[in-house]
Amino acid sequence: MRLRLVPQNTKWDFFSRPLLWLGISTALMIAALVSFSLQGLNLGIDFTGGTTIRTESAQPVVVAEYREALTPLQLGDVSIVEVDDLSFTADQNVTIIKFQAQAGEEAVSADLIRQVQAQLQTVVPDISFVAVESVGPEVSGELITKAVLAVTLAIAAVLIYIWLRFEWQFALGAVAALVHDVVLTIGVFSELQIKFDLAIIAALLTIVGYSLNDTVVVFDRVRENLRKYKKMELKEVLNISINETLSRTVMTSVTTLLALISLYVLGGDVIRGFVFAMIWGVIVGTYSSVFIASAVLLKLGVKRDWSKPDNTSGNQFSNVDA
């Protein structure tokens, strides 16, 4: 017997109150922007500047002991990660220690590095510092600019692709859904003050890809049904298309969430922020693919008779199947 998370041949009406879903999403986006304006983001070392130290020792790494040894130095935000590699020998235990830039200092001082090493030697006498790197304010500012540019270019590329693949109305619907997902993700990080670093930027780009994949599946079925039901109202065509793809959408989201939740629970602190962003992104991405992208398409309208040329809508790529 096949597992079904959604009943077969559903006929649910997703557009009985289209303005309600758009209104809820708009309110949440405004709340996210207000939180971002008032609180900002809890930026990690990647964006605020700081120091990274790579250590080696023969003694096994105990992160709690490392952290306890560094507490008296009051370094602020400290990240301690054990590095595991198949090329390492049994007595080669490597860690990456990161701490934020200290107040009033452009770069870490040699004296502070000696203090850090002395504190760690109280718990790991044979510890050695293999490499010490500092990220200054200028570099961290450049990373912020590149991160914003990366997300913006990704959304712009989606706009162009959907425009060529379908119609401009589909493109605006897809981009509205992506902007919705990105804004809400940034908003929840601002509201909860979860550390925001380069890993979260990677998560945002992954969310854009995931949400787009869901949206394209729905839009592709919409286009097929627009050809099939040429006299049917657009609202009904959208409802049929979403119902026909709903099982695939839900199954994909649930299986992805199962893997992500396992990583969140068992993966440790190192990837927890990234995984949290992905979990949230899958949820809002699935929601936006069904309710936001399609609702925008319903409001904008779309070309109905695909058998005739239309100089005011679409382009030469509209009928190309991927």
Side-chain angles (χ1 to χ4, degrees), residues 24-317:
I24 291 173
S25 294
T26 301
L28 289 175
M29 290 175 68
I30 292 173
L33 293 173
V34 169
S35 176
F36 177 76
S37 300
L38 296 178
Q39 297 188 112
L41 294 169
N42 180 17
L43 297 176
I45 292 172
D46 294 330
F47 295 132
T48 59
T51 301
T52 300
I53 301 174
R54 182 183 177 96
T55 72
E56 282 192 15
S57 67
Q59 185 173 325
V61 176
V62 181
V63 173
E65 292 182 356
Y66 280 45
R67 191 176 299 279
E68 185 178 355
L70 295 176
T71 299
L73 296 179
Q74 298 182 345
L75 299 174
D77 183 17
V78 178
S79 171
I80 303 173
V81 180
E82 182 180 1
V83 179
D84 191 12
D85 194 299
L86 295 177
S87 64
F88 292 167
T89 60
D91 61 349
Q92 189 178 13
N93 299 285
V94 179
T95 59
I96 299 293
I97 301 173
K98 297 181 181 180
F99 56 88
Q100 65 189 40
Q102 303 304 294
E105 294 185 9
E106 287 290 325
V108 64
S109 65
D111 182 57
L112 181 58
I113 295 298
R114 284 194 292 268
Q115 292 181 45
V116 171
Q117 187 167 15
Q119 285 295 116
L120 291 175
Q121 284 175 340
T122 61
V123 293
V124 187
D126 68 334
I127 195 168
S128 61
F129 285 8
V130 178
V132 178
E133 298 177 353
S134 292
V135 177
E138 291 185 4
V139 175
S140 58
E142 184 180 345
L143 288 176
I144 294 177
T145 303
K146 288 184 176 180
V148 173
L149 182 62
V151 176
T152 303
L153 289 178
I155 294 177
V158 167
L159 175 64
I160 296 171
Y161 167 74
I162 299 295
W163 197 327
L164 295 178
R165 179 71 175 82
F166 297 94
E167 300 279 335
W168 66 267
Q169 297 96 328
F170 289 85
L172 292 183
V175 169
L178 296 183
V179 171
H180 167 273
D181 300 342
V182 171
V183 170
L184 289 192
T185 302
I186 292 175
V188 78
F189 270 78
S190 172
E191 183 63 32
L192 300 179
Q193 287 295 289
I194 301 172
K195 189 187 302 180
F196 193 93
D197 52 25
L198 284 177
I200 308 307
I201 298 299
L204 285 176
L205 294 174
T206 307
I207 290 167
V208 167
Y210 181 90
S211 180
L212 175 63
N213 182 58
D214 262 357
T215 303
V216 167
V217 168
V218 175
F219 279 179
D220 204 48
R221 186 57 60 89
V222 170
R223 189 174 65 169
E224 290 177 7
N225 286 331
L226 283 172
R227 293 191 179 108
K228 185 177 180 181
Y229 305 108
K230 295 180 180 180
K231 302 299 182 181
M232 186 179 291
E233 290 185 8
L234 179 58
K235 174 184 173 181
E236 295 304 318
V237 174
L238 289 171
N239 266 322
I240 290 174
S241 303
I242 294 174
N243 276 287
E244 288 177 349
T245 58
L246 190 61
S247 178
R248 177 262 176 207
T249 298
V250 173
M251 182 67 76
T252 302
S253 298
V254 169
T255 52
T256 304
L257 284 173
L258 288 175
L260 290 172
I261 291 172
S262 299
L263 280 175
Y264 186 83
V265 174
L266 304 174
D269 293 335
V270 179
I271 61 171
R272 189 154 289 163
F274 172 85
V275 176
F276 175 81
M278 287 298 303
I279 291 174
W280 175 260
V282 168
I283 294 172
V284 297
T286 303
Y287 165 82
S288 67
S289 296
V290 174
F291 292 101
I292 304 304
S294 299
V296 170
L297 182 61
L298 178 62
K299 292 300 176 184
L300 292 176
V302 69
K303 175 181 174 181
R304 297 305 309 272
D305 190 352
W306 293 73
S307 63
K308 298 178 181 179
D310 185 348
N311 295 328
T312 64
S313 180
N315 50 68
Q316 68 269 33
F317 298 101

